Amino acid sequence: IEDADTETITPAEDVSADRSPSMPQLDSLGHTMLSVVINPYFDWQHDRAPRRPYHQTVIYEAHVKGMTATHPDIPEQLRGTYAGLAHPVIIDHLKELGITAIELMPVHQFMQDFVLRDKGLRNYWGYNTFGFFAPHLEYASNPDQPASAVTEFKAMVRAYHTAGIEVILDVVYNHTAEGNHLGPTVCFRGIDNGAYYRLVDGQPEMYMDYTGTGNSLNGRHPHTLQLIMDSLRYWVLEMHVDGFRFDLASTLARELHDVDRLSAFFDLVQQDPVVSQVKLIAEPWDIGEGGYQVGNFPPLWTEWNGKYRDTVRDYWRGEPATLGEFASRLTGSSDLYESTGRRPSASINFVIAHDGFTLRDLVSYNEKHNMANGEDNRDGESHNRSWNCGVEGPTDDPEVNELRARQQRNILATMFLSQGTPMLAHGDEIGRTQQGNNNVYCQDSPLAWMDWSLADKNSDLLAFTRKAIDLRTKHAVFRRRRFFAGKPIRWGEDMLDIVWLTPSGEAMTTADWDSGFGKSLAVFLNGNGIAEKNERGEVISDNSFMICFNAHYEDIEFTLASERLGHEWEGVLDTTHPQGDSHIESAPCGSTVTIGARSLLVLRTLA
């Protein structure tokens, strides 16, 4: 690394073992970071982390710029910034929804891709980081003063903590912005290429690429591990963040070439007195062989549950033979997490994330429409498990639009009433669309930003989302700390903690579960014995609930059989209604209720 006062060094003719003759031999002196920005004094004002347990957590995945770029009530100079994200209108929106944690897409310093720049595009998502100790400067309201980004980020965290909302960072320690052997030399490659990157055996100028970005960080090297752990501690201790979501976390678990959940990185995290105490969320896959590791991370970790996403999408679009899998995902995915001693909250339940269709687009498009990305529609996932409800893209057909609205409510209700930790993607509560683009990583434009005018246009959807989250928040039966056992809750009782029922009110049999054409079922959730303290410290018990699911294209009559389950029921959430209202005020045992085509109904026992 050259000192600022030395003259430029001409590259030698011969090439070291770590470098290829084809690698650009350009002087990086003018672009190399030569100093450290000293954090100015910041008054945290007795800031305290909310430390909310997972079973009470509702996560909201968001983008700093995308959330704030168009909001009319945020001053123009603050849009797209940390200060804009901390504006009261954003925090109030999240609090009214019932959100308890905001998960920010990458805010570590990242750089623009040369390929995108040449196309007139920009890296919007930010998964191209290289400054693991610096908040991204472009998100500061005063980018001419680098130290202001640190202060502004801290003020944002403080504002969220004051509101009782945790801040989780999406971190990218699996690769860096230096890319493959043709990429720029920004820092790590010029310091110690072989220490920081995984290189191809016998071809040390080439990089192992488990990430699809050109390189993979070398999580086996002690200095690389030290870098990652120091970075994590910095963001917890200095910046007061509450947790991390690890992008392509399977890459960090690779010892040699195979994924090993007991790799050195996880050992370090487990014993670290700082990092082990915050929320740790894995994206449990990468693109390498054996990289799909849902359910295989250590007990301290939670995981984005890709199987949950796929199953819920398949069920509501009417795929056959999904009932058994759907029931497992609804109840916390014990098949994935129970054997390692983890609890239902280990499953981060999501149907939509930044990578893929928005919720509105999921029910509006069968195919991706990514032409704006300049790759002839070759980029992005082609198998989206989506259904356009009969018409591709926007339509004036009222029946199609009503069905699409109902399908959005079905998916939202399913997610918030499932055991586990739900995650809502930003804008899905107001019907955000990307016009069928399922890979807006390079679209730093209104195509990817939230259109806040939709909050008024889709006010019913917003009201429904609030109602579904509120139902979860007020009733512990939807966020149990332990898996269902299929046994009585109390000693000596004969009523089970969970009962699966057919539309006729009979207990599900093996034949019912194996029926490939079955699309409808009900589940009874026993609230007896489930108690927790309210905000005043009083111990309260919960109601029992029944959720009736109907993914069939016609209405179905459900029988409320067996007095043991409940003598009388009231409807509390019905997805056939735009805001989820139910007309059922009292339904006695033995009566029937109509569950509309492609809808769900939530019933509660009357006291």
Side-chain angles (χ1 to χ4, degrees):
I1 301 177
E2 300 178 33
D3 184 80
D5 294 329
T6 63
E7 60 180 321
T8 302
I9 300 174
T10 303
E13 292 298 326
D14 60 324
V15 181
S16 68
D18 288 90
R19 295 179 64 84
S20 165
S22 61
M23 183 181 291
Q25 301 293 299
L26 302 178
D27 178 25
S28 62
L29 176 59
H31 310 280
T32 302
M33 295 178 287
L34 301 174
S35 60
V36 175
V37 177
I38 303 299
N39 291 350
Y41 171 75
F42 181 79
D43 184 3
W44 279 104
Q45 299 177 4
H46 306 291
D47 175 67
R48 296 185 63 182
R51 295 194 176 278
R52 196 179 299 271
Y54 271 114
H55 73 280
Q56 295 178 357
T57 296
V58 179
I59 300 173
Y60 188 89
E61 187 195 31
H63 188 283
V64 172
K65 185 172 184 179
M67 274 285 288
T68 61
T70 70
H71 201 296
D73 295 330
I74 296 177
E76 188 171 353
Q77 70 272 20
L78 298 184
R79 295 174 190 172
T81 69
Y82 303 118
L85 195 66
H87 193 281
V89 296
I90 299 295
I91 293 180
D92 289 347
H93 174 76
L94 298 179
K95 288 184 66 177
E96 289 169 5
L97 271 175
I99 299 301
T100 69
I102 185 169
E103 181 180 300
L104 299 180
M105 293 173 65
V107 297
H108 288 176
Q109 184 65 38
F110 63 88
M111 64 184 293
Q112 294 300 321
D113 310 55
F114 296 124
V115 174
L116 293 179
R117 187 182 62 184
D118 292 342
K119 292 180 180 179
L121 301 171
R122 287 172 53 82
N123 189 311
Y124 169 64
W125 283 350
Y127 293 94
N128 202 34
T129 57
F130 66 96
F132 296 147
F133 295 84
H136 188 59
L137 191 57
E138 286 186 315
Y139 295 156
S141 58
N142 188 5
D144 294 332
Q145 297 183 14
S148 70
V150 176
T151 301
E152 193 170 318
F153 185 92
K154 289 179 176 179
M156 178 194 70
V157 173
R158 184 182 62 194
Y160 274 90
H161 284 180
T162 300
I165 299 175
E166 294 180 303
V167 177
I168 299 170
L169 301 188
D170 191 338
V171 289
V172 189
Y173 296 118
N174 57 75
H175 74 279
T176 77
E178 292 188 304
N180 62 17
H181 64 287
L182 299 176
T185 297
V186 180
C187 46
F188 305 113
R189 173 181 286 142
I191 298 172
D192 194 335
N193 194 44
Y196 286 106
Y197 295 111
R198 293 178 181 267
L199 306 178
V200 176
D201 294 339
Q203 293 181 279
E205 75 279 7
M206 305 298 288
Y207 295 84
M208 295 297 296
D209 184 9
Y210 300 112
T211 65
T213 60
N215 66 56
S216 303
L217 271 181
N218 184 7
R220 296 175 296 167
H221 196 282
H223 286 168
T224 305
L225 289 171
Q226 182 182 9
L227 170 73
I228 296 173
M229 295 304 298
D230 285 350
S231 173
L232 292 170
R233 282 190 291 268
Y234 171 80
W235 288 95
V236 175
L237 296 175
E238 293 293 331
M239 308 297 263
H240 287 205
V241 303
D242 305 283
F244 305 94
R245 178 265 189 189
F246 292 79
D247 181 63
L248 301 181
S250 290
T251 301
L252 295 170
R254 291 185 181 273
E255 281 291 300
L256 294 175
H257 300 293
D258 296 331
V259 176
D260 179 4
R261 64 178 179 174
L262 300 179
S263 66
F265 170 70
F266 296 108
D267 290 340
L268 287 174
V269 170
Q270 183 74 32
Q271 60 79 42
D272 190 275
V274 173
V275 180
S276 65
Q277 300 305 304
V278 300
K279 286 184 167 66
L280 301 171
I281 304 171
E283 182 185 33
W285 52 76
D286 62 21
I287 68 168
E289 183 178 354
Y292 192 77
Q293 292 291 318
V294 172
N296 290 331
F297 276 68
L300 190 65
W301 292 68
T302 62
E303 302 174 14
W304 274 24
N305 190 344
K307 293 186 177 182
Y308 180 94
R309 170 200 61 203
D310 296 345
T311 300
V312 173
R313 289 186 179 194
D314 280 348
Y315 175 75
W316 284 114
R317 70 188 180 115
E319 284 294 293
T322 59
L323 284 187
E325 181 87 358
F326 180 72
S328 178
R329 303 299 155 236
L330 186 78
T331 53
S333 297
S334 61
D335 58 320
L336 299 178
Y337 304 112
E338 191 172 26
S339 63
T340 56
R342 288 187 281 177
R343 298 187 178 187
S345 56
S347 176
I348 305 297
N349 295 333
F350 73 105
V351 181
I352 304 296
H354 67 272
D355 189 1
F357 283 141
T358 67
L359 179 59
R360 177 175 167 184
D361 288 354
L362 185 74
V363 300
S364 303
Y365 295 91
N366 284 349
E367 308 295 335
K368 62 185 180 182
H369 296 267
N370 297 357
M371 293 302 294
N373 296 355
E375 298 182 40
D376 295 325
N377 209 38
R378 294 189 302 269
D379 63 302
E381 176 61 56
S382 296
H383 183 46
N384 294 283
R385 291 181 161 90
S386 60
W387 179 45
N388 64 17
C389 298
V391 178
E392 186 74 358
T395 179
D396 294 328
D397 188 319
E399 292 186 4
V400 172
N401 285 328
E402 194 282 326
L403 176 56
R404 287 175 176 177
R406 194 174 350 122
Q407 287 286 74
Q408 291 176 72
R409 295 191 293 270
N410 289 334
I411 291 171
L412 288 170
T414 300
M415 184 173 70
F416 290 120
L417 301 182
S418 294
Q419 306 298 319
T421 306
M423 185 186 79
L424 178 68
H426 72 290
D428 280 348
E429 74 275 17
I430 60 174
R432 186 173 76 89
T433 178
Q434 295 170 173
Q435 299 175 27
N437 191 318
N438 72 352
N439 190 32
V440 295
Y441 79 103
C442 59
Q443 297 296 328
D444 190 359
S445 69
L447 180 67
W449 303 337
M450 279 185 69
D451 177 1
W452 284 96
S453 69
L454 294 173
D456 291 328
K457 297 175 184 176
N458 297 321
S459 58
D460 285 343
L461 179 62
L462 179 58
F464 178 88
T465 308
R466 289 170 176 166
K467 181 173 293 188
I469 296 176
D470 185 64
L471 188 60
R472 175 187 184 84
T473 301
K474 290 181 176 177
H475 295 284
V477 73
F478 297 118
R479 43 185 175 81
R480 288 168 51 98
R481 302 188 191 193
R482 300 185 183 279
F483 290 105
F484 290 102
K487 298 178 180 179
I489 286 182
R490 291 194 181 99
W491 178 260
E493 290 187 353
D494 62 353
M495 192 60 253
L496 307 182
D497 56 1
I498 185 171
V499 180
W500 295 97
L501 302 164
T502 65
S504 62
E506 302 296 327
M508 291 278 287
T509 66
T510 301
D512 295 323
W513 288 116
D514 293 340
S515 172
F517 57 84
K519 300 287 192 304
S520 308
L521 79 168
V523 59
F524 168 78
L525 306 177
N526 193 341
N528 293 326
I530 297 180
E532 63 179 6
K533 292 183 179 180
N534 60 19
E535 295 180 352
R536 295 187 298 274
E538 301 167 333
V539 177
I540 56 174
S541 298
D542 206 355
N543 299 87
S544 293
F545 285 82
M546 189 178 298
I547 313 176
C548 303
F549 297 92
N550 179 23
H552 190 55
Y553 59 84
E554 293 181 326
D555 296 353
I556 288 185
E557 296 295 315
F558 274 70
T559 300
L560 304 178
S562 179
E563 290 187 0
R564 293 188 306 147
L565 303 184
H567 294 280
E568 198 169 5
W569 300 86
E570 65 173 337
V572 292
L573 192 72
D574 187 345
T575 61
T576 62
H577 187 276
Q579 295 191 8
D581 298 336
S582 173
H583 68 277
I584 300 175
E585 296 181 357
S586 176
C589 173
S591 64
T592 60
V593 294
T594 301
I595 311 299
R598 295 191 175 97
S599 74
L600 69 81
L601 172 67
V602 183
L603 299 160
R604 175 174 57 196
T605 51
L606 284 169

